[in-house]
Structure formats: structure tokens, C-alpha cells
Amino acid sequence: METNTNIYSNTDITVTYEPCICIHAEYCAKELSNVFRDSVIPWIDLEGASAKKIIKQVKKCPSGALQFYYNREVA
């Protein structure tokens, strides 16, 4: 079954989520639940924390299902 990548953006960053890669370790939801919400759609709310905190959490994703990139060049 093929699923589409989910894309979430704010002013600073874009976070992508690939559900087919996710191993459901749930680090994201357990450690940053204001952003990665398991009972609300859309389940990623980039307004729930600073870009710095979101990036730190995305980097902890063991499967690589969560990725991020900056929307503009960082000085």
C-alpha cells in the first residue's frame, strides 16, 4: 500500500513525514507532544514549539520517517 509523504510548514522550517518508513517508536509524540500529536489531525503542529526544538526532535527519529529543511537560508 502506497501512502503520500505528509508535508508541514511554518515560516522557518518544513517537516516531512513518510508513514511507510515510520517504525512507530513514538519518540516524537512522547517527547514533544505539543507538536507531534497522536489524536488530532493534522497530527503535526509546527506552532507547538520553536523551530530549534522541533529540529532537535526530528533528528531523534530512529527510522528517518521525519525529516526537516529550512525554508530559507540560515545565516
Side-chain angles (χ1 to χ4, degrees), residues 6-9 19 22 46 53 57 61-62 66 69-70 74:
N6 296 284
I7 302 170
Y8 305 88
S9 293
C22 184
L46 298 183
K53 286 184 179 180
Q57 191 62 49
C61 180
L66 290 170
Y69 59 87
Y70 293 100
V74 177

Side-chain angles (χ1 to χ4, degrees), residues 11-28:
T11 305
D12 301 318
I13 62 172
T14 295
V15 173
T16 60
Y17 169 65
E18 295 186 44
C20 288
I21 296 174
C22 184
I23 62 170
H24 304 287
E26 298 183 5
Y27 295 139
C28 55

Side-chain angles (χ1 to χ4, degrees), residues 35-51:
V35 174
F36 302 99
R37 308 167 302 171
D38 58 4
S39 62
V40 179
I41 296 175
W43 81 277
I44 296 178
D45 177 13
L46 298 183
E47 301 304 316
S50 69

